[in-house]
């Protein structure tokens, strides 16, 4: 009997781990606000997706980032880091539900100590909005990039909760969280330039990504690596203190 119970608990746990978005790919997603984008990619970690349209003529990038927060009352974030691949310097859009209202904030993460970070980004961003549906949060935004930008360093993240003052609490340190960054190639790097609508989709490696590890089991190990990864949103840990 005890064994049966145990098996049941295991099965229940596995079931709960499967995110409703896991079987989706970005190409099947649509937005209730009717926004459409020329390109999309299944980000390789955190069940996250990025949709974008890049107009190279005016170097404007329109994005929609979708991810399920780590917990129902958590946050999601997407950033461009102009000078680095790490956390420091990330120009961040972060969204969550606050007192029942969907909220989006910008953070110019200038150091690991958030008290020295500001809210003004080094890019012009506009048309900021956020939506909550199907257990996921979407962030919409337009970015004015430097002229002739062909790729950007992107960083994305999800976290479990927000303080009563509206500060995001630190995210988990699982490999999924710590690896959630990469290059977003906006203009095809090689070969003839073809229109974005017909360009091949960026490699959707999401489904080859290692399965999410249950949070907790890998924390101790990963914490050792934090100094190496200097992950973007580790800084959010410091918020709790303030
Ligand atoms: C890109 O931006 C330029 C300048 O604003 C505009 O003329 C052009 O129509 C835009 N291209 C697309 C595909 O929207
Ligand atoms: C660039 O063009 C796009 C249309 O493709 C437009 O949505 C965007 O606002 C323009 N950017 C700027 C900075 O005017
Ligand atoms: C990135 O580097 C440029 C050139 O050094 C600098 O002007 C800019 O402020 C830096 N951006 C951030 C966010 O640190
Ligand atoms: C963060 O920076 C502020 C202002 O420089 C300082 O007072 C505070 O002690 C720092 N906090 C940490 C955790 O280093
Ligand atoms: C942020 O932007 C606002 C509005 O443009 C400006 O009033 C404020 O001084 C800026 N803050 C910093 C720290 O640059
Ligand atoms: C929500 O889920 C339904 C059913 O899976 C799907 O048809 C719909 O496109 C989803 N909506 C969004 C905004 O992802």
């Amino acid at each position: 009997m005890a064994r049966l119970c145990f098996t049941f608990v295991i099965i229940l746990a596995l079931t709960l781990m499967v995110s409703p978005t896991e079987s989706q790919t970005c190409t099947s997603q649509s937005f209730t606000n009717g926004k459409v984008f020329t390109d999309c990619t299944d980000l390789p970690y955190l069940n996250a997706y990025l949709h974008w349209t890049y107009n190279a003529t005016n170097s404007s990038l329109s994005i929609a980032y979708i991810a399920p927060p780590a917990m129902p009352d958590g946050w999601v974030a997407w950033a461009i880091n102009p000078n680095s691949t790490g956390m420091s310097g990330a120009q961040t859009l972060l969204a969550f539900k606050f007192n029942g209202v969907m909220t989006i904030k910008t953070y110019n993460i200038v150091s690991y100590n958030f008290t020295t970070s500001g809210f003004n980004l080094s890019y012009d961003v506009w048309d900021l909005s956020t939506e909550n549906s199907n257990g996921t949060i979407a962030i919409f935004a337009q970015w004015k990039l430097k002229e002739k930008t062909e790729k950007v360093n992107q960083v994305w993240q999800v976290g479990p909760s927000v303080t009563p003052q509206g500060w995001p609490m630190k995210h988990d340190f699982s490999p999924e969280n710590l690896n959630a960054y990469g290059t977003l190639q906006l203009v095809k790097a090689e070969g003839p330039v073809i229109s974005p609508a017909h360009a091949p989709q960026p490699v959707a490696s999401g489904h080859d990504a290692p399965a999410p590890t249950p949070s907790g089991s890998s924390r101790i190990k990963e914490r050792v690596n934090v100094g190496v990864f200097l992950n973007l949103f580790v800084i959010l840990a410091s918020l709790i203190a303030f």
Side-chain angles (χ1 to χ4, degrees):
M1 183 62 195
R3 185 161 170 203
L4 195 63
C5 269
F6 180 71
T7 311
F8 175 73
V9 167
I10 293 289
I11 289 169
L12 185 66
L14 288 173
T15 310
L16 291 174
M17 274 165 57
V18 176
S19 145
T21 58
E22 199 148 49
S23 57
Q24 271 192 2
T25 65
C26 67
T27 49
S28 67
Q29 293 169 336
S30 59
F31 300 103
T32 48
N33 62 13
K35 285 191 201 268
V36 291
F37 300 86
T38 57
D39 296 85
C40 73
T41 185
D42 302 345
L43 295 170
Y45 302 104
L46 304 172
N47 291 322
Y49 304 89
L50 188 75
H51 297 250
W52 81 91
T53 300
Y54 182 55
N55 184 334
T57 309
N58 65 6
S59 58
S60 292
L61 174 66
S62 175
I63 64 118
Y65 165 77
I66 316 169
M71 302 284 278
D73 292 326
W75 51 265
V76 307
W78 189 82
I80 293 177
N81 193 328
N83 298 334
S84 165
T85 57
M87 159 185 180
S88 189
Q91 305 295 300
T92 305
L93 308 176
L94 193 144
F96 51 87
K97 193 182 258 183
F98 190 59
N99 293 335
V101 179
M102 286 309 295
T103 304
I104 185 163
K105 290 193 174 177
T106 60
Y107 293 101
N108 174 5
I109 300 177
V110 298
S111 85
Y112 295 94
N113 182 340
F114 242 64
T115 62
T116 52
S117 290
F119 299 100
N120 295 350
L121 302 188
S122 66
Y123 297 100
D124 279 344
V125 294
W126 68 100
D127 284 357
L128 289 183
S129 65
T130 178
E131 281 180 2
N132 187 21
S133 76
N134 286 4
T136 69
I137 296 176
I139 289 176
F140 300 92
Q142 293 224 46
W143 300 69
K144 174 68 180 170
L145 304 179
K146 272 207 274 243
E147 272 178 46
K148 301 198 169 78
T149 298
E150 298 197 337
K151 59 183 178 181
V152 292
N153 298 320
Q154 62 170 334
V155 192
W156 67 98
Q157 197 52 264
V158 302
S161 57
V162 175
T163 68
Q165 294 76 34
W167 290 107
M169 301 278 273
K170 71 167 176 168
H171 62 78
D172 200 0
F173 292 171
S174 79
E176 289 261 310
N177 300 87
L178 298 177
N179 287 320
Y181 63 91
T183 302
L184 177 64
Q185 190 74 43
L186 301 169
V187 177
K188 207 172 170 300
E190 52 206 68
V193 176
I194 51 179
S195 85
H198 302 114
Q201 294 293 309
V203 179
S205 50
H207 306 291
D208 305 328
T213 22
S215 61
S217 69
S218 59
R219 273 191 205 180
I220 308 284
K221 182 165 62 86
E222 286 307 318
R223 207 158 268 165
V224 177
N225 288 334
V226 163
V228 179
F229 278 105
L230 288 178
N231 181 59
L232 173 59
F233 291 101
V234 172
I235 193 173
L236 295 176
S238 64
L239 290 177
I240 304 162
F242 304 132

